[in-house]
């Protein structure tokens, strides 16, 4: 069977969800963006593919910790509760990163890397005390060094603060009643520093930047462009006659370009 035919059959096999191969780890995508930027909505498109596991942000866990709404009390009294909230966010996100699956693709809403952004914003606003910052950052550094949280692609839904403020108000999550446009501007800026200007923390994977200001209908086309790029990435070391026990090389074929605008 020619090389091209083998590659197409492999891609079609993956696309159709034919359970023909096992993978040492899935090709992992993290969808990042501001509050209300459209991450959950974007993630829902991936739920139509049975070769992909979709892991949404565990907000419901944060809303009920032994009967306490940690998200709510964090917003109400950040100086008192932000540290414990961040610690729980890091734990619950780590659980998603290390979620085991035989499927070839895993798409996550946000990441443990993103919780570091919120911590950095809290540092700038002097919400956290120095010893709390040390504990959280040592926690994070240990995760990065020791946990299996390899990421292959970041999709940054870059949505203006004004638009996410509108959407957040319409969504009307009670815990977010006190979230201001100024706060959303800070979170927007710190996402840009990390993912657009890449001047903050190191990037775990290449970044696709999407215009999250587009309408729900227009985002379907953005998803389709990304989907085709994600599901057909030829990974380095992936041989064409993958057998059930072949493990895919942990590296992938995406060029080491930090920001790829491949969803034209
Ligand atoms: N492209 C879009 N255009 C208009 N409204 C959107 C769009 N994407 C999401 N929304 C709406 O905005 C709100 C926040 O979207 P959501 O997907 O929950 O964002 P996130 O998960 O980033 O917080 C929801 O009410 C959703 O229906
Ligand atoms: N202080 C932090 N807040 C966080 C973090 N991760 C998420 N969140 C908040 C933001 C929203 O109010 C809510 C869910 O986020 P969406 O973007 O899905 O609306 O949780 C964090 O690390 N720190």
């Amino acid at each position: 069977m020619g090389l091209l035919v083998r590659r197409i059959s492999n891609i079609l096999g993956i696309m159709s969800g034919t359970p023909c191969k096992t993978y040492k780890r899935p090709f992992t995508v993290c969808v990042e963006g501001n509050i209300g930027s459209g991450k959950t909505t974007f993630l829902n498109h991936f739920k139509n593919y049975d070769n992909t596991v979709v892991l949404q942000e565990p907000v419901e866990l944060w809303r009920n910790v032994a009967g306490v709404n940690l998200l709510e009390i964090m917003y109400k009294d950040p100086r008192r509760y932000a540290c414990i909230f961040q610690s729980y966010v890091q734990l619950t996100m780590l659980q998603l990163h290390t979620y085991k699956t035989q499927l070839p693709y895993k798409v996550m809403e946000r990441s443990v890397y993103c919780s570091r952004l919120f911590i950095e914003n809290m540092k700038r606003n002097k919400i956290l005390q120095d010893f709390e910052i040390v504990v959280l950052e040592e926690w994070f550094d240990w995760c990065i060094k020791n946990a299996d949280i390899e990421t292959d692609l970041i999709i940054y839904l870059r949505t203006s603060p004004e638009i996410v403020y509108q959407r957040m108000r319409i969504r009307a999550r009670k815990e977010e009643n006190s979230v201001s446009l100024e706060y959303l501007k800070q979170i927007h800026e710190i996402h840009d520093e990390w993912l657009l200007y890449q001047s903050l923390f190191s990037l775990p994977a290449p970044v696709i930047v999407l215009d999250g200001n587009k309408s729900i209908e227009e985002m379907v086309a953005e998803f389709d462009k990304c989907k085709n790029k994600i599901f057909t990435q030829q990974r380095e070391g992936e041989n064409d006659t993958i057998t059930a026990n072949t493990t895919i090389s942990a590296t992938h074929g995406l060029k080491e370009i930090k920001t790829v605008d491949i969803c034209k």
Side-chain angles (χ1 to χ4, degrees):
M1 192 164 52
L3 178 61
L4 178 62
V5 172
R6 281 203 302 272
R7 288 224 165 115
I8 289 173
S9 66
N10 285 341
I11 289 166
L12 291 176
I14 289 174
M15 292 285 283
S16 64
T18 309
C20 55
K21 304 177 185 69
T22 61
Y23 296 83
K24 186 180 173 188
R25 72 174 186 85
F27 185 89
T28 302
V29 181
C30 294
V31 179
E32 301 283 0
N34 205 338
I35 302 168
S37 56
K39 300 181 298 298
T40 304
T41 306
F42 191 80
L43 243 71
N44 285 340
H45 296 304
F46 285 100
K47 290 180 178 176
N48 299 323
Y49 296 86
D50 53 15
N51 64 347
T52 304
V53 60
V54 178
L55 300 175
Q56 289 182 276
E57 207 173 25
V59 179
E60 291 315 310
L61 292 181
W62 308 340
R63 286 173 137 168
N64 183 3
V65 183
V68 175
N69 187 332
L70 220 45
L71 181 67
E72 185 173 46
I73 63 174
M74 180 277 295
Y75 274 127
K76 281 184 174 168
D77 188 352
R79 278 183 170 70
R80 182 168 178 192
Y81 298 112
C83 182
I84 192 69
F85 177 76
Q86 288 303 141
S87 182
Y88 197 57
V89 168
Q90 285 186 172
L91 170 63
T92 52
M93 292 313 294
L94 202 53
Q95 289 167 337
L96 298 186
H97 279 287
T98 54
Y99 175 85
K100 296 295 178 212
T101 178
Q102 291 301 318
L103 292 176
Y105 297 92
K106 176 163 86 170
V107 182
M108 289 178 55
E109 183 177 9
R110 285 217 174 102
S111 62
V112 75
Y113 309 104
C114 177
S115 67
R116 182 80 186 277
L117 285 190
F118 282 92
I119 292 169
E120 178 62 27
N121 192 55
M122 289 171 178
K123 281 169 69 173
R124 295 177 183 180
N125 290 326
K126 307 221 183 308
I127 297 287
L128 296 168
Q129 301 194 58
D130 289 348
F131 69 89
E132 291 176 319
I133 293 166
V134 168
V135 167
L136 290 171
E137 290 187 342
E138 283 190 20
W139 204 149
F140 178 83
D141 292 344
W142 186 91
C143 293
I144 298 300
K145 291 191 186 83
N146 299 281
D148 179 12
I149 57 174
E150 289 165 294
T151 304
D152 298 288
L153 180 66
I154 293 173
I155 295 176
Y156 175 22
L157 286 185
R158 187 171 186 263
T159 311
S160 76
E162 291 73 17
I163 286 185
V164 299
Y165 185 68
Q166 281 172 6
R167 291 181 189 172
M168 188 190 70
R169 306 309 293 180
I170 292 168
R171 181 176 64 186
R173 208 181 253 157
K174 69 180 173 76
E175 298 90 345
E176 296 166 350
N177 284 339
S178 60
V179 174
S180 66
L181 176 59
E182 179 51 36
Y183 179 72
L184 296 173
K185 285 179 178 174
Q186 292 172 9
I187 300 301
H188 177 80
E189 287 306 317
I190 206 161
H191 274 82
D192 272 1
E193 286 177 51
W194 179 40
L195 296 173
L196 192 67
Y197 309 119
Q198 294 153 31
S199 58
L200 190 56
F201 307 124
S202 62
L203 285 169
V207 178
I208 297 176
V209 182
L210 295 183
D211 178 3
N213 296 325
K214 292 183 174 182
S215 70
I216 287 184
E217 296 70 29
E218 289 170 322
M219 289 309 289
V220 175
E222 293 299 295
F223 166 75
D224 283 337
K225 285 186 278 186
C226 281
K227 167 201 74 177
N228 296 335
K229 285 292 179 183
I230 292 166
F231 290 147
T232 55
Q233 275 302 325
Q234 185 62 47
R235 299 183 190 181
E236 280 172 9
E238 178 177 9
N239 60 46
D240 295 296
T241 51
I242 298 170
T243 60
N245 301 317
T246 304
T247 54
I248 300 292
S249 151
T251 59
H252 49 76
L254 278 172
K255 295 193 257 339
E256 288 310 310
I257 299 170
K258 283 191 172 178
T259 298
V260 286
D261 189 4
I262 61 175
C263 289
K264 287 190 184 305

